[in-house]
Amino acid sequence: MKRKTINEHWTLSFTRPGPFMPAGEKLVVNLPATVYSALLEQGKMPDPYYGENELAALSVMDNDFVFETEFDLESGMLSADALSLVFYGIDTLADIFLNGIAIGTTDNMHRTWRFDISSVASQENTLRVVIHSPTAYIAEENRKIYTGGASEAMEGFPHLRKAHCMFGWDWGARLPDAGIFRPVEIIAHKKADLHEVSVYQEHIKTGRGVHGYIIPEVILHITAEVNVYEAGCPVMPGDAEELAAAGLRISVEAESPDGAVYHVQEERRGRILDDEGETGIRKTIRIPDPQLWWPSGYGAQPLYTLRVCLIDEESGETLDQSVQRIGLRILTVNQDPMSDGGRNFAFKINGLPIFARGANMVPEDNLLSRITRERSEKLLREAVWANYNMIRIWGGGYYPSDDFYDLCDELGLIVWQDFMFACASYELDDAFEETILSEIRDNVRRLRHHACLGLWCGNNEVETQTLDRAWKPSMKQKSDYIKIFEYLIPKLLSSEDPDTSYWPSSPSAGGNFDNPWAENIGDTHYWEVWHGNVPFTEFRKHAFRFVSEFGFQSFPCLATIRRFAEPQDQNIFSRVMEMHQRNTAANGKLMFYLSANYLYPKNFEMVLYATQLLQAQAIRYAIEHFRRNRGTTMGALVWQMNDISPMASWSGIDYYGNRKALHYMERRVFAPVLISCEEHGEIDQKPWVNTQPKEISYTALLHVANETHRPFDGVVRWALRDSASVEIASGREQVQVLPYDGRALEQIDAQMEAGEAFDPREIHLEYTLESDGSVVSGGMALFCAPKHYRFMDPKLSVTQEGDEVIVRSKTFASGVCILDGDCPAVCEDNFFDMEAGERRIRLEKQPEAQLSAVSVYEIAG
């Protein structure tokens, strides 16, 4: 087999005059390339993220585009037994011409497209790709058959198999780019090739321990399907005898992380099923004393290399090979019945039920050619830094690159993988069925060997929104929902990847429109905090099984806003700022929650800062509660981790990679060992000052969660202090917590402990968890809203000594943010509470400006 990439020396032109490009002008580009990225890189178009530039950029997509290149075939390619042209990512509607001859069309950006060019290729070739307007297509298709979807996106988007969020979302711009976003390749096949390789792991279990199954041996069952070319047509041998008759053999070996090589012990017919029964050649490899793969925080991530080679017996030449890195693990979802009449929803790794900690991810950019391995690695390392063990690839985007999943394997991040359907109705016909099944087959075969793959999920919110008629589905579209997500997809997965769990929708109770909002079955999207305007304490009233979405908005830091808004536009109600706030009701909600928690901010910068504190506190309330209920609740995936463009959003990391207060809070509350506090007082019994006076109970319940395989032995210390940090009362308790368990301590009656000195507007609770003399976890709790607490001026000062920052405070200070100019400094901790005194914090990046600090006191002060 010979391969030739044709990624260089392309041209891009428009088929008719349009914004930023006269007709006939050609831009020279290299792949990956999109229309927007090419125009930007060559100075033809202003930044679509700046100001209101998005509007002009959107109009570009009303045009059609031509990508064209010339290439020579390498020696021997023309005489190959088969010759293929492969597009690994083309967005989206394209006609493909080779040497002036139409060879095919594309209509799905999520697929790998292969075209036989044996009869049209020559030594010197011209390849022309005409990409048609996505906006014109969806408008025309929606005139034919109405198909509704998310209101922030462009009407008709569900008709096109293109990342839905490129048409706009409530956290992203309408920039439905077009282009060739992954490599293009010519493949010359000689005699035969590997059509498909799959591996099934059989784990020999001899018992259980605290850390899951005891597994002394893993057996790999490798199945290979081979295409043998006869007169240019592929024929598939059914077993090793037929393969040998064709003069071919399969070689398989597995190499451990430390270099040990394991060879085949057994061979028989394969387990992949086609319409006529079993096909393929199976090889078996036994691996003794396996090094098991674990998610981050539970163990190491050893990866074995599996090599499958197709060899020509006569010449000894390797005709084709497959190299996969695999992790040896058992990864399932426990859905056993529970005593309350509900069911579990808990991920189990090697027999160990884990608490899933993480967030939802959206595409890293509207311009897909900007997404690189380096950029994805930086983002995924931030996930590990924040103590994630799971990410959810949300169904309104696209399937990330191979590099992305390789990184998740290496970093120990389990992937909840949505198929690319979200917040819409879908009209099923023969063509749509063929393309979505091809899309899913392509991506399942590409991804199923990855250790990180934890779950296939049919869609995002389509079951609930079909049931409540959010997008006015027809009766046929309601029926189509069941056929797509509860028949076609699971049927395909039963043959392509029967070993990975499938879940029909998120949220769901298991499908069939059977109460997908149930709290005690399946997964939940909880949005009453935020969309429902209820207080943060409302989280504590629920015992969800697995919360796959919950979130709260904030604005990014001033440094990010300055990259899209002029000083005169830096008001959250300005036209430019509203262009970068895509949730219509969000500014009102932020003001509502701001009024409930903080004093009115004195300037624009303090508005930004206060919204980030709100976001962090909302998610803290949620996650701490969920972790206190481990065993009932077994997962918390925050909406959302990242941004697709610079916006106000629910993200913990903004488009430019700046950490918000939320991301620092996630690092604390997702820590393996956590102390948390369920405090009660005005915050949940009298949140509004004009509520009729009544007796209020001021209490605090401390809890220690231990998500490690070792018993935890430590000391809990607490103190009631005033705003000057003077201790009013204190206590300590020795605590022992079993592995993967939690323990609640005796309730603290703050009013009784403080006596006459108690005033909820002047007294707060400090608590820490210590082990071997070091603080493992800690926090502060107020008994009233922060706006009513009588903070004193902490007179914060910041000095730098090498890679350390020293923050000094004269009094109790809440929400302390160390600033590097207009952006939070990159530290091991930030947006923290502190008592009077000093804190030393390690810098993770040298500052670019003078360091300073602010706290809640400065919001209005």
Side-chain angles (χ1 to χ4, degrees), residues 480-498:
D480 288 345
Y481 172 86
I482 295 292
K483 185 173 181 182
I484 293 170
F485 301 107
E486 300 190 21
Y487 176 69
L488 292 174
I489 293 177
K491 181 182 178 183
L492 184 147
L493 289 173
S494 68
S495 60
E496 293 290 346
D497 188 18

mmCIF file with all atom_site columns, all heavy atoms in Angstrom, residues 480-498:
data_model
loop_
_atom_site.group_PDB
_atom_site.id
_atom_site.type_symbol
_atom_site.label_atom_id
_atom_site.label_alt_id
_atom_site.label_comp_id
_atom_site.label_asym_id
_atom_site.label_entity_id
_atom_site.label_seq_id
_atom_site.pdbx_PDB_ins_code
_atom_site.Cartn_x
_atom_site.Cartn_y
_atom_site.Cartn_z
_atom_site.occupancy
_atom_site.B_iso_or_equiv
_atom_site.pdbx_formal_charge
_atom_site.auth_seq_id
_atom_site.auth_comp_id
_atom_site.auth_asym_id
_atom_site.auth_atom_id
_atom_site.pdbx_PDB_model_num
ATOM 1   N N   . ASP A 1 480 ? -40.045 9.089  13.889 1.00 0.00 ? 480 ASP A N   1
ATOM 2   C CA  . ASP A 1 480 ? -38.672 8.978  13.392 1.00 0.00 ? 480 ASP A CA  1
ATOM 3   C C   . ASP A 1 480 ? -37.672 8.983  14.543 1.00 0.00 ? 480 ASP A C   1
ATOM 4   O O   . ASP A 1 480 ? -36.622 8.332  14.473 1.00 0.00 ? 480 ASP A O   1
ATOM 5   C CB  . ASP A 1 480 ? -38.353 10.126 12.432 1.00 0.00 ? 480 ASP A CB  1
ATOM 6   C CG  . ASP A 1 480 ? -39.050 9.987  11.085 1.00 0.00 ? 480 ASP A CG  1
ATOM 7   O OD1 . ASP A 1 480 ? -39.549 8.880  10.790 1.00 0.00 ? 480 ASP A OD1 1
ATOM 8   O OD2 . ASP A 1 480 ? -39.077 10.978 10.326 1.00 0.00 ? 480 ASP A OD2 1
ATOM 9   N N   . TYR A 1 481 ? -37.987 9.745  15.610 1.00 0.00 ? 481 TYR A N   1
ATOM 10  C CA  . TYR A 1 481 ? -37.094 9.757  16.772 1.00 0.00 ? 481 TYR A CA  1
ATOM 11  C C   . TYR A 1 481 ? -36.857 8.333  17.280 1.00 0.00 ? 481 TYR A C   1
ATOM 12  O O   . TYR A 1 481 ? -35.715 7.905  17.498 1.00 0.00 ? 481 TYR A O   1
ATOM 13  C CB  . TYR A 1 481 ? -37.653 10.621 17.912 1.00 0.00 ? 481 TYR A CB  1
ATOM 14  C CG  . TYR A 1 481 ? -36.818 10.452 19.162 1.00 0.00 ? 481 TYR A CG  1
ATOM 15  C CD1 . TYR A 1 481 ? -35.694 11.223 19.360 1.00 0.00 ? 481 TYR A CD1 1
ATOM 16  C CD2 . TYR A 1 481 ? -37.103 9.442  20.082 1.00 0.00 ? 481 TYR A CD2 1
ATOM 17  C CE1 . TYR A 1 481 ? -34.878 11.017 20.460 1.00 0.00 ? 481 TYR A CE1 1
ATOM 18  C CE2 . TYR A 1 481 ? -36.302 9.235  21.190 1.00 0.00 ? 481 TYR A CE2 1
ATOM 19  C CZ  . TYR A 1 481 ? -35.190 10.017 21.366 1.00 0.00 ? 481 TYR A CZ  1
ATOM 20  O OH  . TYR A 1 481 ? -34.369 9.796  22.446 1.00 0.00 ? 481 TYR A OH  1
ATOM 21  N N   . ILE A 1 482 ? -37.942 7.592  17.505 1.00 0.00 ? 482 ILE A N   1
ATOM 22  C CA  . ILE A 1 482 ? -37.820 6.230  18.022 1.00 0.00 ? 482 ILE A CA  1
ATOM 23  C C   . ILE A 1 482 ? -37.035 5.359  17.041 1.00 0.00 ? 482 ILE A C   1
ATOM 24  O O   . ILE A 1 482 ? -36.159 4.581  17.446 1.00 0.00 ? 482 ILE A O   1
ATOM 25  C CB  . ILE A 1 482 ? -39.212 5.624  18.284 1.00 0.00 ? 482 ILE A CB  1
ATOM 26  C CG1 . ILE A 1 482 ? -39.928 6.388  19.408 1.00 0.00 ? 482 ILE A CG1 1
ATOM 27  C CG2 . ILE A 1 482 ? -39.101 4.132  18.626 1.00 0.00 ? 482 ILE A CG2 1
ATOM 28  C CD1 . ILE A 1 482 ? -39.323 6.225  20.779 1.00 0.00 ? 482 ILE A CD1 1
ATOM 29  N N   . LYS A 1 483 ? -37.319 5.490  15.764 1.00 0.00 ? 483 LYS A N   1
ATOM 30  C CA  . LYS A 1 483 ? -36.640 4.638  14.783 1.00 0.00 ? 483 LYS A CA  1
ATOM 31  C C   . LYS A 1 483 ? -35.141 4.916  14.762 1.00 0.00 ? 483 LYS A C   1
ATOM 32  O O   . LYS A 1 483 ? -34.334 3.974  14.725 1.00 0.00 ? 483 LYS A O   1
ATOM 33  C CB  . LYS A 1 483 ? -37.237 4.850  13.391 1.00 0.00 ? 483 LYS A CB  1
ATOM 34  C CG  . LYS A 1 483 ? -36.647 3.900  12.353 1.00 0.00 ? 483 LYS A CG  1
ATOM 35  C CD  . LYS A 1 483 ? -37.343 3.990  11.010 1.00 0.00 ? 483 LYS A CD  1
ATOM 36  C CE  . LYS A 1 483 ? -36.733 2.992  10.020 1.00 0.00 ? 483 LYS A CE  1
ATOM 37  N NZ  . LYS A 1 483 ? -37.357 3.092  8.671  1.00 0.00 ? 483 LYS A NZ  1
ATOM 38  N N   . ILE A 1 484 ? -34.745 6.195  14.797 1.00 0.00 ? 484 ILE A N   1
ATOM 39  C CA  . ILE A 1 484 ? -33.324 6.535  14.718 1.00 0.00 ? 484 ILE A CA  1
ATOM 40  C C   . ILE A 1 484 ? -32.582 6.092  15.975 1.00 0.00 ? 484 ILE A C   1
ATOM 41  O O   . ILE A 1 484 ? -31.569 5.381  15.912 1.00 0.00 ? 484 ILE A O   1
ATOM 42  C CB  . ILE A 1 484 ? -33.132 8.051  14.508 1.00 0.00 ? 484 ILE A CB  1
ATOM 43  C CG1 . ILE A 1 484 ? -33.656 8.484  13.140 1.00 0.00 ? 484 ILE A CG1 1
ATOM 44  C CG2 . ILE A 1 484 ? -31.646 8.420  14.627 1.00 0.00 ? 484 ILE A CG2 1
ATOM 45  C CD1 . ILE A 1 484 ? -33.709 9.998  12.968 1.00 0.00 ? 484 ILE A CD1 1
ATOM 46  N N   . PHE A 1 485 ? -33.090 6.529  17.141 1.00 0.00 ? 485 PHE A N   1
ATOM 47  C CA  . PHE A 1 485 ? -32.293 6.412  18.363 1.00 0.00 ? 485 PHE A CA  1
ATOM 48  C C   . PHE A 1 485 ? -32.565 5.155  19.179 1.00 0.00 ? 485 PHE A C   1
ATOM 49  O O   . PHE A 1 485 ? -31.773 4.811  20.061 1.00 0.00 ? 485 PHE A O   1
ATOM 50  C CB  . PHE A 1 485 ? -32.497 7.667  19.223 1.00 0.00 ? 485 PHE A CB  1
ATOM 51  C CG  . PHE A 1 485 ? -32.095 8.924  18.512 1.00 0.00 ? 485 PHE A CG  1
ATOM 52  C CD1 . PHE A 1 485 ? -33.047 9.811  18.048 1.00 0.00 ? 485 PHE A CD1 1
ATOM 53  C CD2 . PHE A 1 485 ? -30.758 9.187  18.266 1.00 0.00 ? 485 PHE A CD2 1
ATOM 54  C CE1 . PHE A 1 485 ? -32.678 10.957 17.361 1.00 0.00 ? 485 PHE A CE1 1
ATOM 55  C CE2 . PHE A 1 485 ? -30.375 10.333 17.588 1.00 0.00 ? 485 PHE A CE2 1
ATOM 56  C CZ  . PHE A 1 485 ? -31.338 11.217 17.123 1.00 0.00 ? 485 PHE A CZ  1
ATOM 57  N N   . GLU A 1 486 ? -33.654 4.478  18.878 1.00 0.00 ? 486 GLU A N   1
ATOM 58  C CA  . GLU A 1 486 ? -33.960 3.275  19.654 1.00 0.00 ? 486 GLU A CA  1
ATOM 59  C C   . GLU A 1 486 ? -34.061 2.026  18.786 1.00 0.00 ? 486 GLU A C   1
ATOM 60  O O   . GLU A 1 486 ? -34.354 0.947  19.294 1.00 0.00 ? 486 GLU A O   1
ATOM 61  C CB  . GLU A 1 486 ? -35.238 3.506  20.470 1.00 0.00 ? 486 GLU A CB  1
ATOM 62  C CG  . GLU A 1 486 ? -35.068 4.680  21.426 1.00 0.00 ? 486 GLU A CG  1
ATOM 63  C CD  . GLU A 1 486 ? -36.184 4.832  22.429 1.00 0.00 ? 486 GLU A CD  1
ATOM 64  O OE1 . GLU A 1 486 ? -36.904 3.847  22.677 1.00 0.00 ? 486 GLU A OE1 1
ATOM 65  O OE2 . GLU A 1 486 ? -36.334 5.944  22.984 1.00 0.00 ? 486 GLU A OE2 1
ATOM 66  N N   . TYR A 1 487 ? -33.789 2.205  17.482 1.00 0.00 ? 487 TYR A N   1
ATOM 67  C CA  . TYR A 1 487 ? -33.754 1.029  16.595 1.00 0.00 ? 487 TYR A CA  1
ATOM 68  C C   . TYR A 1 487 ? -32.516 1.031  15.703 1.00 0.00 ? 487 TYR A C   1
ATOM 69  O O   . TYR A 1 487 ? -31.662 0.151  15.820 1.00 0.00 ? 487 TYR A O   1
ATOM 70  C CB  . TYR A 1 487 ? -35.017 0.946  15.739 1.00 0.00 ? 487 TYR A CB  1
ATOM 71  C CG  . TYR A 1 487 ? -34.962 -0.212 14.743 1.00 0.00 ? 487 TYR A CG  1
ATOM 72  C CD1 . TYR A 1 487 ? -35.008 -1.531 15.178 1.00 0.00 ? 487 TYR A CD1 1
ATOM 73  C CD2 . TYR A 1 487 ? -34.818 0.024  13.372 1.00 0.00 ? 487 TYR A CD2 1
ATOM 74  C CE1 . TYR A 1 487 ? -34.919 -2.588 14.275 1.00 0.00 ? 487 TYR A CE1 1
ATOM 75  C CE2 . TYR A 1 487 ? -34.738 -1.019 12.464 1.00 0.00 ? 487 TYR A CE2 1
ATOM 76  C CZ  . TYR A 1 487 ? -34.786 -2.329 12.919 1.00 0.00 ? 487 TYR A CZ  1
ATOM 77  O OH  . TYR A 1 487 ? -34.698 -3.375 12.033 1.00 0.00 ? 487 TYR A OH  1
ATOM 78  N N   . LEU A 1 488 ? -32.382 2.032  14.854 1.00 0.00 ? 488 LEU A N   1
ATOM 79  C CA  . LEU A 1 488 ? -31.286 2.020  13.877 1.00 0.00 ? 488 LEU A CA  1
ATOM 80  C C   . LEU A 1 488 ? -29.914 2.067  14.547 1.00 0.00 ? 488 LEU A C   1
ATOM 81  O O   . LEU A 1 488 ? -29.027 1.255  14.242 1.00 0.00 ? 488 LEU A O   1
ATOM 82  C CB  . LEU A 1 488 ? -31.438 3.196  12.903 1.00 0.00 ? 488 LEU A CB  1
ATOM 83  C CG  . LEU A 1 488 ? -32.619 3.144  11.943 1.00 0.00 ? 488 LEU A CG  1
ATOM 84  C CD1 . LEU A 1 488 ? -32.709 4.445  11.144 1.00 0.00 ? 488 LEU A CD1 1
ATOM 85  C CD2 . LEU A 1 488 ? -32.493 1.944  10.997 1.00 0.00 ? 488 LEU A CD2 1
ATOM 86  N N   . ILE A 1 489 ? -29.720 3.020  15.454 1.00 0.00 ? 489 ILE A N   1
ATOM 87  C CA  . ILE A 1 489 ? -28.393 3.167  16.072 1.00 0.00 ? 489 ILE A CA  1
ATOM 88  C C   . ILE A 1 489 ? -28.052 1.980  16.968 1.00 0.00 ? 489 ILE A C   1
ATOM 89  O O   . ILE A 1 489 ? -26.958 1.405  16.844 1.00 0.00 ? 489 ILE A O   1
ATOM 90  C CB  . ILE A 1 489 ? -28.286 4.506  16.823 1.00 0.00 ? 489 ILE A CB  1
ATOM 91  C CG1 . ILE A 1 489 ? -28.333 5.667  15.824 1.00 0.00 ? 489 ILE A CG1 1
ATOM 92  C CG2 . ILE A 1 489 ? -26.991 4.559  17.644 1.00 0.00 ? 489 ILE A CG2 1
ATOM 93  C CD1 . ILE A 1 489 ? -28.308 7.044  16.461 1.00 0.00 ? 489 ILE A CD1 1
ATOM 94  N N   . PRO A 1 490 ? -28.920 1.566  17.904 1.00 0.00 ? 490 PRO A N   1
ATOM 95  C CA  . PRO A 1 490 ? -28.538 0.398  18.720 1.00 0.00 ? 490 PRO A CA  1
ATOM 96  C C   . PRO A 1 490 ? -28.353 -0.865 17.891 1.00 0.00 ? 490 PRO A C   1
ATOM 97  O O   . PRO A 1 490 ? -27.523 -1.709 18.246 1.00 0.00 ? 490 PRO A O   1
ATOM 98  C CB  . PRO A 1 490 ? -29.687 0.271  19.727 1.00 0.00 ? 490 PRO A CB  1
ATOM 99  C CG  . PRO A 1 490 ? -30.795 1.105  19.223 1.00 0.00 ? 490 PRO A CG  1
ATOM 100 C CD  . PRO A 1 490 ? -30.185 2.176  18.378 1.00 0.00 ? 490 PRO A CD  1
ATOM 101 N N   . LYS A 1 491 ? -29.097 -1.018 16.811 1.00 0.00 ? 491 LYS A N   1
ATOM 102 C CA  . LYS A 1 491 ? -28.906 -2.185 15.954 1.00 0.00 ? 491 LYS A CA  1
ATOM 103 C C   . LYS A 1 491 ? -27.515 -2.166 15.332 1.00 0.00 ? 491 LYS A C   1
ATOM 104 O O   . LYS A 1 491 ? -26.807 -3.190 15.317 1.00 0.00 ? 491 LYS A O   1
ATOM 105 C CB  . LYS A 1 491 ? -29.970 -2.225 14.860 1.00 0.00 ? 491 LYS A CB  1
ATOM 106 C CG  . LYS A 1 491 ? -29.842 -3.432 13.927 1.00 0.00 ? 491 LYS A CG  1
ATOM 107 C CD  . LYS A 1 491 ? -30.897 -3.406 12.837 1.00 0.00 ? 491 LYS A CD  1
ATOM 108 C CE  . LYS A 1 491 ? -30.721 -4.604 11.879 1.00 0.00 ? 491 LYS A CE  1
ATOM 109 N NZ  . LYS A 1 491 ? -31.706 -4.549 10.762 1.00 0.00 ? 491 LYS A NZ  1
ATOM 110 N N   . LEU A 1 492 ? -27.096 -0.999 14.844 1.00 0.00 ? 492 LEU A N   1
ATOM 111 C CA  . LEU A 1 492 ? -25.757 -0.901 14.266 1.00 0.00 ? 492 LEU A CA  1
ATOM 112 C C   . LEU A 1 492 ? -24.687 -1.167 15.323 1.00 0.00 ? 492 LEU A C   1
ATOM 113 O O   . LEU A 1 492 ? -23.712 -1.884 15.081 1.00 0.00 ? 492 LEU A O   1
ATOM 114 C CB  . LEU A 1 492 ? -25.574 0.482  13.645 1.00 0.00 ? 492 LEU A CB  1
ATOM 115 C CG  . LEU A 1 492 ? -24.263 0.751  12.900 1.00 0.00 ? 492 LEU A CG  1
ATOM 116 C CD1 . LEU A 1 492 ? -24.506 1.706  11.740 1.00 0.00 ? 492 LEU A CD1 1
ATOM 117 C CD2 . LEU A 1 492 ? -23.202 1.335  13.820 1.00 0.00 ? 492 LEU A CD2 1
ATOM 118 N N   . LEU A 1 493 ? -24.857 -0.606 16.515 1.00 0.00 ? 493 LEU A N   1
ATOM 119 C CA  . LEU A 1 493 ? -23.863 -0.787 17.577 1.00 0.00 ? 493 LEU A CA  1
ATOM 120 C C   . LEU A 1 493 ? -23.778 -2.233 18.042 1.00 0.00 ? 493 LEU A C   1
ATOM 121 O O   . LEU A 1 493 ? -22.712 -2.685 18.488 1.00 0.00 ? 493 LEU A O   1
ATOM 122 C CB  . LEU A 1 493 ? -24.197 0.119  18.763 1.00 0.00 ? 493 LEU A CB  1
ATOM 123 C CG  . LEU A 1 493 ? -23.968 1.617  18.548 1.00 0.00 ? 493 LEU A CG  1
ATOM 124 C CD1 . LEU A 1 493 ? -24.502 2.401  19.736 1.00 0.00 ? 493 LEU A CD1 1
ATOM 125 C CD2 . LEU A 1 493 ? -22.488 1.916  18.340 1.00 0.00 ? 493 LEU A CD2 1
ATOM 126 N N   . SER A 1 494 ? -24.861 -2.968 17.944 1.00 0.00 ? 494 SER A N   1
ATOM 127 C CA  . SER A 1 494 ? -24.839 -4.362 18.389 1.00 0.00 ? 494 SER A CA  1
ATOM 128 C C   . SER A 1 494 ? -23.841 -5.186 17.590 1.00 0.00 ? 494 SER A C   1
ATOM 129 O O   . SER A 1 494 ? -23.320 -6.192 18.095 1.00 0.00 ? 494 SER A O   1
ATOM 130 C CB  . SER A 1 494 ? -26.234 -4.980 18.296 1.00 0.00 ? 494 SER A CB  1
ATOM 131 O OG  . SER A 1 494 ? -26.631 -5.123 16.941 1.00 0.00 ? 494 SER A OG  1
ATOM 132 N N   . SER A 1 495 ? -23.553 -4.777 16.359 1.00 0.00 ? 495 SER A N   1
ATOM 133 C CA  . SER A 1 495 ? -22.552 -5.498 15.569 1.00 0.00 ? 495 SER A CA  1
ATOM 134 C C   . SER A 1 495 ? -21.220 -4.767 15.545 1.00 0.00 ? 495 SER A C   1
ATOM 135 O O   . SER A 1 495 ? -20.161 -5.400 15.526 1.00 0.00 ? 495 SER A O   1
ATOM 136 C CB  . SER A 1 495 ? -23.049 -5.706 14.136 1.00 0.00 ? 495 SER A CB  1
ATOM 137 O OG  . SER A 1 495 ? -23.297 -4.475 13.496 1.00 0.00 ? 495 SER A OG  1
ATOM 138 N N   . GLU A 1 496 ? -21.238 -3.447 15.555 1.00 0.00 ? 496 GLU A N   1
ATOM 139 C CA  . GLU A 1 496 ? -19.990 -2.692 15.425 1.00 0.00 ? 496 GLU A CA  1
ATOM 140 C C   . GLU A 1 496 ? -19.253 -2.500 16.749 1.00 0.00 ? 496 GLU A C   1
ATOM 141 O O   . GLU A 1 496 ? -18.033 -2.428 16.765 1.00 0.00 ? 496 GLU A O   1
ATOM 142 C CB  . GLU A 1 496 ? -20.279 -1.321 14.798 1.00 0.00 ? 496 GLU A CB  1
ATOM 143 C CG  . GLU A 1 496 ? -20.751 -1.373 13.358 1.00 0.00 ? 496 GLU A CG  1
ATOM 144 C CD  . GLU A 1 496 ? -19.654 -1.796 12.392 1.00 0.00 ? 496 GLU A CD  1
ATOM 145 O OE1 . GLU A 1 496 ? -18.473 -1.802 12.781 1.00 0.00 ? 496 GLU A OE1 1
ATOM 146 O OE2 . GLU A 1 496 ? -19.986 -2.126 11.234 1.00 0.00 ? 496 GLU A OE2 1
ATOM 147 N N   . ASP A 1 497 ? -19.977 -2.366 17.845 1.00 0.00 ? 497 ASP A N   1
ATOM 148 C CA  . ASP A 1 497 ? -19.322 -2.149 19.142 1.00 0.00 ? 497 ASP A CA  1
ATOM 149 C C   . ASP A 1 497 ? -20.234 -2.597 20.279 1.00 0.00 ? 497 ASP A C   1
ATOM 150 O O   . ASP A 1 497 ? -20.710 -1.776 21.065 1.00 0.00 ? 497 ASP A O   1
ATOM 151 C CB  . ASP A 1 497 ? -18.940 -0.678 19.308 1.00 0.00 ? 497 ASP A CB  1
ATOM 152 C CG  . ASP A 1 497 ? -18.083 -0.444 20.542 1.00 0.00 ? 497 ASP A CG  1
ATOM 153 O OD1 . ASP A 1 497 ? -17.513 -1.428 21.063 1.00 0.00 ? 497 ASP A OD1 1
ATOM 154 O OD2 . ASP A 1 497 ? -17.979 0.718  20.980 1.00 0.00 ? 497 ASP A OD2 1
ATOM 155 N N   . PRO A 1 498 ? -20.466 -3.908 20.393 1.00 0.00 ? 498 PRO A N   1
ATOM 156 C CA  . PRO A 1 498 ? -21.383 -4.394 21.435 1.00 0.00 ? 498 PRO A CA  1
ATOM 157 C C   . PRO A 1 498 ? -20.837 -4.241 22.847 1.00 0.00 ? 498 PRO A C   1
ATOM 158 O O   . PRO A 1 498 ? -21.580 -4.421 23.818 1.00 0.00 ? 498 PRO A O   1
ATOM 159 C CB  . PRO A 1 498 ? -21.563 -5.875 21.072 1.00 0.00 ? 498 PRO A CB  1
ATOM 160 C CG  . PRO A 1 498 ? -20.315 -6.234 20.329 1.00 0.00 ? 498 PRO A CG  1
ATOM 161 C CD  . PRO A 1 498 ? -19.925 -5.005 19.563 1.00 0.00 ? 498 PRO A CD  1
#
